[in-house]
């Protein structure tokens, strides 16, 4: 899950796998696959970075576990 | 100012008065006890039917029938497009300042909600609830008029019965039967006039007003959600135009081109 901030400063986490597209309108509007729209404070690039970081985190821990199982 | 309400009432009364004068004497149609029975009875029965708050509310509603100026849907759409432009250029937060300048509290509330970053789903929910209850409130005013419309002819009927009973009690003088019968029927006349010239049309106008206001608010709601979704102002315009009749769309087009020149 990645952390995003609503316009009123409230922070919450969003499942990046459900993101359909992100628009800059110039506010960042994230549309989820269920057609829900979320307006967030972060820039588009920032959101993408966080997604990448999150995926990397998952992938790394997966590799570690995999390594342990192989031993 | 709604000319139609006033014009309708004046025209209605003058046509009836003229019609009476052409074939008879207006004095025949004036009878104080009859007025007391029909008007007084209708008002009293309405008091029984509704809580006092609704009855007092009726006076304000009646004032609206004459003095409300019709809102222009094109004006609302143009306002929304303007806001959409601000949102596209400077972001949603820039709308806060613009929101305080808005006259319509409903629109203002919607814009402030999206500035606060409220979930679109929730914005729709809040606004739709407000709409539902606005319609509910409107229908209360209509209901009072509708009740009065259904009661007035009934009291006219009762007045006629009273007149007939009084007449039949003193039937020994055959020459008085005609005039007494006429007086008795005057109440039915009053009841029908009250119901058909005043109360039913007023209820209809209120209904129409309410429907129109609902339409405007729905346009606003759709517009506000579109702004939040960051849609293109031109697309928003097209989307909102769908609410309007072809003639009104034409007017919007003329005005927007006139504004650009």
């Amino acid at each position: 899950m990645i952390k995003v901030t609503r316009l009123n400063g409230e922070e919450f986490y969003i499942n990046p796998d459900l993101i359909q597209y992100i628009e800059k309108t110039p506010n960042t509007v994230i549309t989820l696959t269920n057609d829900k729209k979320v307006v967030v404070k972060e820039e588009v690039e920032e959101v993408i970075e966080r997604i990448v970081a999150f995926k990397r985190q998952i992938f790394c821990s997966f590799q570690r576990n995999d390594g342990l199982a192989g031993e | 100012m709604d000319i139609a309400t006033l014009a309708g009432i004046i025209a209605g009364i003058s046509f009836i008065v003229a019609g009476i004068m052409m074939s008879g004497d207006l004095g025949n149609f004036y009878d104080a006890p009859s007025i007391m029975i029909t008007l007084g009875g209708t008002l009293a029965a309405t008091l029984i039917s509704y809580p006092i708050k609704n009855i007092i509310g009726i006076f304000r509603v009646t004032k609206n029938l004459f003095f409300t100026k019709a809102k222009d849907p094109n004006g609302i759409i143009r306002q929304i497009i303007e806001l959409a432009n601000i949102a596209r250029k400077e972001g949603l937060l820039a709308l806060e300042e613009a929101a305080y300048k808005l006259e319509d509290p409903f629109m203002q509330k919607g814009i402030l909600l999206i500035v606060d970053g409220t979930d679109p789903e929730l914005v729709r929910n809040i606004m739709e609830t407000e709409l539902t209850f606005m319609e509910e409130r409107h229908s209360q005013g209509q209901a009072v008029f509708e009740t009065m419309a259904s009661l007035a002819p009934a009291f006219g009927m009762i007045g006629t019965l009273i007149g007939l009973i009084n007449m039949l009690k003193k039937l020994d003088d055959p020459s008085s039967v005609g005039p007494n019968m006429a007086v008795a029927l005057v109440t039915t006349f009053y009841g029908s006039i009250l119901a058909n010239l005043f109360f039913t049309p007023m209820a209809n106008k209120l209904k129409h007003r309410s429907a129109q206001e609902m339409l405007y608010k729905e346009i606003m709601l759709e517009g506000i959600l579109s702004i939040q979704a960051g849609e293109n102002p031109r697309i928003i315009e097209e989307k909102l135009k769908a609410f309007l009749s072809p003639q009104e769309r034409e007017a919007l087009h003329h005005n927007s081109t006139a504004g650009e020149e």
Side-chain angles (χ1 to χ4, degrees):
Chain A
M1 303 290 261
I2 60 163
K3 188 168 88 178
V4 284
T5 321
R6 274 191 225 279
L7 290 186
N8 59 1
E10 189 191 321
E11 289 180 345
F12 65 106
Y13 292 82
I14 204 166
N15 184 351
D17 291 333
L18 291 183
I19 293 177
Q20 190 171 14
Y21 46 84
I22 307 179
E23 286 161 290
K24 189 178 162 75
T25 69
N27 290 91
T28 309
V29 183
I30 302 175
T31 307
L32 303 180
T33 47
N34 59 7
D35 256 1
K36 286 211 164 110
K37 287 180 187 284
V38 188
V39 187
V40 299
K41 260 187 184 167
E42 284 83 3
E43 291 297 313
V44 178
E45 293 76 19
E46 173 79 31
V47 177
I48 295 174
E49 264 168 41
R50 283 185 195 177
I51 296 173
V52 172
F54 172 68
K55 298 245 166 175
R56 186 177 293 138
Q57 206 182 330
I58 293 177
F59 188 62
C60 286
S61 64
F62 173 71
Q63 260 187 336
R64 252 202 313 281
N65 287 341
D66 201 34
L68 284 174
E71 274 168 20
Chain B
M1 178 86 196
D2 191 336
I3 304 282
T5 312
L6 199 63
I9 289 177
I10 292 174
I13 292 174
S14 25
F15 279 129
I16 290 169
V17 168
I20 291 170
M21 299 230 286
M22 271 181 206
S23 55
D25 181 8
L26 199 58
N28 290 342
F29 285 81
Y30 173 74
D31 187 47
S34 305
I35 293 176
M36 225 162 74
I37 292 170
T38 20
L39 201 60
T42 308
L43 293 180
T46 315
L47 278 173
I48 298 171
S49 310
Y50 290 97
I52 192 77
K53 207 182 82 202
N54 293 25
I55 312 265
I56 294 171
I58 264 299
F59 291 107
R60 212 189 32 192
V61 171
T62 313
K63 201 188 79 202
N64 281 347
L65 280 174
F66 295 99
F67 295 110
T68 311
K69 56 171 181 244
K71 272 188 225 151
D72 170 27
N74 292 327
I76 292 165
I77 294 181
R78 247 172 284 135
Q79 209 169 28
I80 290 170
I81 293 167
E82 223 169 86
L83 292 170
N85 275 322
I86 297 175
R88 289 283 279 199
K89 280 185 200 127
E90 299 160 52
L92 285 177
L93 291 178
L95 287 177
E96 187 162 14
E97 203 182 320
Y100 287 116
K101 287 185 203 140
L102 292 174
E103 281 165 34
D104 193 289
F106 185 76
M107 183 114 123
Q108 191 176 45
K109 186 175 174 184
I111 297 287
L112 289 178
L113 278 174
I114 64 172
V115 171
D116 277 346
T118 315
D119 205 56
E121 201 84 352
L122 194 60
V123 175
R124 183 183 279 279
N125 242 324
I126 294 171
M127 307 286 272
E128 269 175 2
T129 311
E130 190 153 320
L131 277 185
T132 317
F133 282 93
M134 186 190 80
E135 201 176 23
E136 177 79 30
R137 274 197 310 279
H138 285 180
S139 73
Q140 280 178 4
Q142 292 158 23
V144 177
F145 276 116
E146 268 165 9
T147 312
M148 282 162 98
S150 66
L151 289 171
F155 276 98
M157 181 74 206
I158 291 171
T160 303
L161 290 179
I162 294 170
L164 287 180
I165 292 168
N166 285 342
M167 183 191 87
L168 290 172
K169 283 279 184 194
K170 294 176 279 182
L171 207 55
D172 37 348
D173 178 12
S175 67
S176 74
V177 169
N180 280 337
M181 186 83 187
V183 169
L185 283 176
V186 163
T187 53
T188 304
F189 169 76
Y190 287 154
S192 306
I193 291 276
L194 280 178
N196 295 310
L197 185 59
F198 296 101
F199 301 141
T200 308
M202 281 175 174
N204 283 344
K205 179 146 268 177
L206 284 179
K207 229 179 270 175
H208 179 250
R209 276 279 159 72
S210 174
Q212 214 166 22
E213 195 159 348
M214 284 295 283
L215 173 73
Y216 295 156
K217 301 248 147 122
E218 272 162 27
I219 293 177
M220 287 179 197
L221 173 57
E222 216 49 59
I224 285 165
L225 289 172
S226 302
I227 292 174
Q228 185 172 29
E231 278 165 32
N232 186 315
R234 294 239 20 116
I235 304 285
I236 297 180
E237 184 179 343
E238 288 305 321
K239 202 172 171 180
L240 298 185
K241 265 201 219 160
F243 283 90
L244 303 179
S245 68
Q247 291 94 329
E248 285 170 319
R249 281 181 220 179
E250 195 68 12
L252 180 70
H253 184 69
H254 281 308
N255 283 331
S256 61
T257 48
E260 279 161 18
E261 275 160 14

